[in-house]
Structures are given as structure tokens and as C-alpha cells.
Amino acid sequence: PGAQTGAAGNPVEFSYDWSSTLGGPVKKDKLWFFGATRRWRLDQLQIGATNPDGSQAIDDNLIENYMGKLTSQVTSSTRASVMFNRNLKYRYHRRDSPYLFVADVASVLQDQPAQNYVAQFNQVVGQKGVFDARFGRMWGDFPSRYQDGATQIAVRDVVTFERFNAAEIQSVNPNHRYQANGTYSYFVPRLLGGTHDLKAGVQLSWERMAYDRVRNGDILLEMRSGVGFQGQISNTPIVSDHKMETWGAFLQDRWVLGRATVNVGVRFDGASGYLPAQSSPAGTYVGERSYAQTDVYDYSLNVAPRIGFSYDVFGNGQTAVKAYWGRFFNQFGSEILEQANPNALTNLPVAWTDTNGNRTLDAGELGPIPTFVRGLFPSFDGDAKRPYSDEINVGVEHQLMPNLAVGVSYHRRQHRDGLGIVDLARPTSAYTPETRTYTDSSDGQVKSIELYKLQPAFASARNRVITNVDVLQSDYDGVQFDVQKKMSNRWQLLAGFGWQRHKGFDHAGTFTNPGASTDFNNPNYLVNRGDGSVFTELPWTFNVSGSYQFPYDVTFAAKYNARAGDPLVREAVFTFTNPTTSQPSETIRVAQRGEDRTETVNKFLDVRFSKRQKVSVANLEISLDMFNLLNANHVLGQNTTLGGTWGRPNRILTPRIIRLGVTARF
């Protein structure tokens, strides 16, 4: 309350959504085609962001999508199809949290093409079997470009989350993924006293993630509340490459035995990743680099069993008890390979004094320049276990009367064996505790906190390793209550209330990397992180939706959502004053995540009126949608760093939108 926003609200300037489809037979009962297009535009002002001329900055977006599909009935038991999709996404002024208070010139230009195709083959085998095979490719580019004229060195404020002059870096990210799947299903009508739906399958994938990165001046300058204190020198330009392969096989059976149904299965899979031979040219702070192909990780076989059970309690189909347990090994993206790649982007802190306050780098303003040594790039522990989750669900469903059912279920999920970075050359004993004070913007009180300063003897020692970190685990517990009224007497309703608790060490799932200099041997990374909210923990949620059919094919529908606020992190930036240690300033949590939350959402209501009408050869549907009917302006995000802009909103609920739509079906 009372926090300055810099620019009021984030109203929608312009929006439209156009889509159309066309399909039909090419040859009767043999060949069909289907196509679809969509063009979606949204221009919305960015809350808190202003341009140098005082105008409010814009977040303007355009998405175009084109899809085509051909399907052939080769024989009475054989079908084949091929589908192609192209998507063009333009985000002309992108801002990523928390740096949302950014003028247009310092935002990112994202002009992103992507496309994919999928070929599918289905074969009915006899009376009981079905074979399905699919092969596809996804490829494209994820570009983050400088705006035209943004040629200066970027400067960012780590307290106010403003950025000046230019985006922080330009990155072009070509990537692709090939995938092949095959499954065979077989029905057994009588075996071991029941029926069986058996299914087996294999899955294969090959992926590539590459980057071409440049940074203006090969440095990023940082301020605290307008005062320059540090630069991050970079080993740019970077041309890096990463490749991954996965495989999986599964067996499952749905066994119906009287009132009981048992679903049992097991999945076998593996994942491997390597760095192809690659090189990068010389930059301001590094020379030319070249590296041979290197294997990083190889999980050749993981076994994940799963079992589920349901039982018709009274044999009349009205009350069912269900239970499930399963293990899921986390999937790998490219983030581990990117961290372990000595040809990847990395930064080193260097003291910066903005002597004349002009927010640019002038001669003599930088401190001693450190060196990019091999120890900065972590290796991967070959003995590290693959992260996994165990899931447990138990529930009861009961039909109170025809078309009306209620249910309650309990869910538990346990994350274990998370991966993080540990610097073996800097044990926890390398840090000396010291008491620091800070002003807590939440209540204005001066408080103390114990932090840890790196001893000078360990300043140049680096040996970072990606491995399992014991603290990287969490537990989720949730209870869900549901009511479902199926369509009868012209109306239907679905309502649910959920309670959840997800506590533990705040982690990212497979691989937790909180910052560029992450080290879980550094006690500062453990401060106020061990028992907070994990992921999007919402203590309670409530939703209800329904529709009613009036005469003359007029339908009214409504949806209401309410929930607790999102968890926030209260943090402060501390500087360690011993320059011989090369220890950068660190952002430390001064409260557990979730102790602060955004405001409760309780006024979010959408409604729709629609009318169907036959006109000549077409069936028309005219609709009127009113999103956020009550025009609620709940704060969904805010600045969490203590200081003059603590609590400053950076995202609010989209304002009321009225949309008129017409759909024609021929």
C-alpha cells in the first residue's frame, strides 16, 4: 500500500483474436484434409515502466499460427496421417521478471519462429490389437535481440529492478528435437479371472540446444538505488552447442476383476548428454577458445514402477475408492549441459565506481579485472543420482443422486535427490560468520542477520561440481474437494475447493541454480531457504463454473475463481567489504519464501452469453464474453527486494475485457 508504481496500471491498448478452420474430403472415404489459422494481437502498457519522454512503456505481442493435416485411410484397418504446424511469435518489447521497470529501448526484441511436423501410422491387428507409430520433429529459434539503436552498455539496478541503455545481452538460440514413439495395445477378455488391457511402448528422442551470444562491451553494470557498485564482466562472444538423447520403454496393464480395477505398470528409461566439438572467438576479457567433444552425463537405466487401484464399494457404480502410487524420474533439459560447458556464458564480478554518475563506463572506473579460470565451469559428478518424485493419491467418489457426484482426495508428492552446484575448493569452513544489520521495509524496523564472509585464503580457489545436494528436497500435501453436476434439466455445475502445503528447500526440481556464482557450500545460500513455500504453493483455492441453457438456444455460462496470494521472497542485497576475497555482493533472504504473499484473489469472475442460429447453409454461433467482469485489479506480483521500492507492484490482474465472437460452421 502506498508504494510508487512509476506508471499507473497495465491497461490493454489493443487486442484481437482471429481464427479459422477448413477441412473436408479430398477423396471420399480415402483422403481428408484439415487446415487452421490464427492471428492474435495484444498491446498492453507495462505497469511501472516509463520511457525517457515520460510515456508509459508498451508490452506488444503478435502470434500467427498456421496448421495443415492430411489423413489417409490406406485400408480398412490401416490409417496414416501427416501434420505440419508453423508458429510465429513476436514480442516486440519483452521484459522478464524481476526487471520489469524497463524503458522500451532497454527491453528485448523477440521474433521467434517455430515449426513442427508429425507423421502417424495406425494398424488394427486382428480383433484385439492396435499398433501406433509416430515420428516428428520440432525446430526453431528463440531469439532475444537488442532493440534498434541499443548499442550502449546495459546498466541495471538490483534494488529498484530498473534497466537502462539496452537489454542485458543478445542471444540467438537455434534448437531442435526429433522424437519417435511406438506402442502396441492388446485386449485379453479372460485371464486370471478378469479382463486385461495390455500396452507396451518405446520412446526415443534426440535434441540440440545451441546459443550465439554477444554483450555490448562484454560487461553488465550494476547499481543499488542509483549508485554504481559492480560490473559483471562476461566471456562473450559465445557460440556454444549442447546435445541430449533419451530413451524409454514401458509396460502396463489395466486388469478389471469384478468390482476392482488394478492398473499396474513399469517404465524403464535413460538419458545422456554431451558437448559437441565447438569454439568461440575472442572478446574483450577472453581469448579465442576451442574444445573437443565431451560426454557429461549418462543415466543408462532407471526403473520406475507404478500401481493404481479402484474399487466399486457397493457394486452399484455409485461409490468408488481409489489409490495410486508411482515413481517419476525427472526429465533433463539442457540446463546441466549449459552449466558444465566451458564454452558457456559466465560472468565475474568487478568493482565499478560511477564517478560522474552518468550510468556509463568511463576510463578508470573498474577495479582489478579477474581471470576466467576453468574452475568456474562446474563438472558433473558421475556418481550423482537422478532426481525423482514419488506420488501418492487416495480418494473417494460418490454419486449422491443421478447426475450429481462428490469426491474428496488426498495427494502427496516427495521430491528427492535434487542436483545443485557445490564448490569443493571452498568448504563451509572457508566462511566466517558476521552479524549485519538491515532495515526491514515490511515494518520499518532495524534487524540483524548472521551472514558469512569468504576468507581471503580461498579467494582464487574454485572447483565447482554439479552433484546431489541433501537439502534439495520438498514435500507436497494437498486435499481436494469436488462437486460435479452433469448436464440435466438444462444446467451443469463444477465446483472445487483445494488445500495444499508444499514446504521444503526452495528448489527448481531437477537442477537448482539460484545465481551465476551458486555454491551450496556457501552458507549464505542456505539462509532462510530451508522450510519455505516451494513452487507455486497456494494454501487454498476455490473455483466454480457452470452453464444454463435458455430457450431459443441461448446459453449463459460463468466461472468464478478465488485463491490465496502467490508466495513472495523478502530479500536484501549485502556487500562484503573485503576486496581481496573476490566475494560479490549477495542477495540474501531475510524471511522464508511464503511469509509474504501477494493479495488474495477474490473478485475474478468471467461470464459468457452465446446464441446459436441456422442461417442458410451455415450454423452460426454468436458469443459475448466478459472477462474479469468486476474489473478486479488484484496485485499478482511485486518488488521483493528491501529498499525504497519494496512492495512496488509489477503485475496486476488484466482489466475487464469484452469480446464479441462469431463462429460459422459449414
Side-chain angles (χ1 to χ4, degrees), residues 421-440:
I421 297 177
V422 176
D423 196 330
L424 301 181
R426 294 179 174 179
T428 55
S429 59
Y431 293 84
T432 302
E434 64 178 31
T435 301
R436 303 288 292 272
T437 60
Y438 65 96
T439 300
D440 193 335

Side-chain angles (χ1 to χ4, degrees), residues 135-192:
F135 178 82
R137 184 192 185 209
M138 301 174 60
W139 73 101
D141 208 331
F142 186 90
S144 300
R145 306 185 192 276
Y146 288 123
Q147 299 288 348
D148 288 342
T151 59
Q152 300 182 60
I153 292 173
V155 182
R156 70 182 184 184
D157 195 306
V158 300
V159 175
T160 64
F161 293 126
E162 297 172 286
R163 189 166 60 229
F164 309 95
N165 300 336
E168 295 180 11
I169 196 168
Q170 177 166 290
S171 174
V172 181
N173 169 219
N175 60 87
H176 69 241
R177 174 186 175 96
Y178 291 93
Q179 182 159 332
N181 297 350
T183 61
Y184 185 75
S185 303
Y186 189 76
F187 179 73
V188 180
R190 288 182 297 275
L191 179 65
L192 300 176

Side-chain angles (χ1 to χ4, degrees), residues 30-329:
K30 288 293 184 179
L31 185 65
W32 299 265
F33 79 96
F34 178 81
T37 65
R38 184 188 182 196
R39 184 180 174 91
W40 175 79
R41 181 71 186 247
L42 175 64
D43 293 352
Q44 187 171 12
L45 298 181
Q46 173 60 48
I47 185 172
T50 55
N51 294 311
D53 62 3
S55 62
Q56 191 169 354
I58 190 72
D59 180 6
D60 42 352
N61 307 267
L62 173 65
I63 294 178
E64 297 177 347
N65 185 269
Y66 308 93
M67 188 274 283
K69 183 177 182 180
L70 281 175
T71 303
S72 174
Q73 190 72 42
V74 182
T75 69
S76 60
S77 59
T78 306
R79 175 174 288 193
S81 66
V82 61
M83 184 275 292
F84 178 81
N85 183 80
R86 179 167 172 80
N87 191 80
L88 302 172
K89 178 178 180 179
Y90 302 94
R91 194 167 180 183
Y92 298 103
H93 297 89
R94 176 176 179 141
R95 300 164 179 85
D96 292 316
S97 181
Y99 290 91
L100 301 173
F101 313 116
V102 173
D104 289 340
V105 70
S107 64
V108 170
L109 170 61
Q110 178 186 345
D111 51 347
Q112 178 181 351
Q115 46 274 317
N116 65 79
Y117 67 79
V118 176
Q120 183 175 357
F121 175 84
N122 301 98
Q123 176 71 52
V124 177
V125 182
Q127 300 294 316
K128 302 175 183 177
V130 177
F131 173 72
D132 179 271
R134 306 183 187 194
F135 178 82
R137 184 192 185 209
M138 301 174 60
W139 73 101
D141 208 331
F142 186 90
S144 300
R145 306 185 192 276
Y146 288 123
Q147 299 288 348
D148 288 342
T151 59
Q152 300 182 60
I153 292 173
V155 182
R156 70 182 184 184
D157 195 306
V158 300
V159 175
T160 64
F161 293 126
E162 297 172 286
R163 189 166 60 229
F164 309 95
N165 300 336
E168 295 180 11
I169 196 168
Q170 177 166 290
S171 174
V172 181
N173 169 219
N175 60 87
H176 69 241
R177 174 186 175 96
Y178 291 93
Q179 182 159 332
N181 297 350
T183 61
Y184 185 75
S185 303
Y186 189 76
F187 179 73
V188 180
R190 288 182 297 275
L191 179 65
L192 300 176
T195 64
H196 296 261
D197 282 322
L198 300 170
K199 191 172 185 179
V202 295
Q203 301 169 336
L204 304 169
S205 74
W206 303 263
E207 301 177 53
R208 181 196 185 216
M209 190 69 67
Y211 294 94
D212 188 345
R213 288 167 164 158
V214 295
R215 170 166 275 163
N216 289 345
D218 296 325
I219 190 171
L220 170 65
L221 301 176
E222 295 182 314
M223 304 187 301
R224 279 199 304 265
S225 300
V227 179
F229 75 99
Q230 179 174 271
Q232 298 279 354
I233 64 169
S234 306
N235 60 338
T236 47
I238 288 290
V239 182
S240 58
D241 200 0
H242 318 82
K243 292 189 176 181
M244 299 143 281
E245 298 177 359
T246 65
W247 72 273
F250 68 90
L251 297 168
Q252 66 183 49
D253 179 24
R254 183 175 181 269
W255 179 19
V256 179
L257 182 63
R259 298 188 202 175
T261 299
V262 179
N263 291 281
V264 62
V266 61
R267 177 181 174 85
F268 310 90
D269 69 10
S272 62
Y274 68 96
L275 305 173
Q278 55 196 276
S279 61
S280 291
T284 305
Y285 303 102
V286 292
E288 184 177 355
R289 293 139 288 169
S290 182
Y291 303 93
Q293 179 171 314
T294 305
D295 294 330
V296 177
Y297 62 81
D298 184 7
Y299 290 102
S300 57
L301 176 62
N302 298 110
V303 182
R306 297 149 195 188
I307 185 168
F309 174 83
S310 64
Y311 185 72
D312 183 353
V313 178
F314 302 110
N316 56 9
Q318 295 184 347
T319 305
V321 176
K322 300 180 179 181
Y324 173 83
W325 175 85
R327 173 159 292 186
F328 299 85
F329 285 95

Side-chain angles (χ1 to χ4, degrees), residues 9 63 149 187 194 224 237 242 263 334 441 447 457 474 512 540 542 640 655:
I63 294 178
F187 179 73
R224 279 199 304 265
H242 318 82
N263 291 281
S334 64
S441 304
K447 301 178 180 179
S474 64
T512 300
W540 64 270
F542 173 75
T640 60

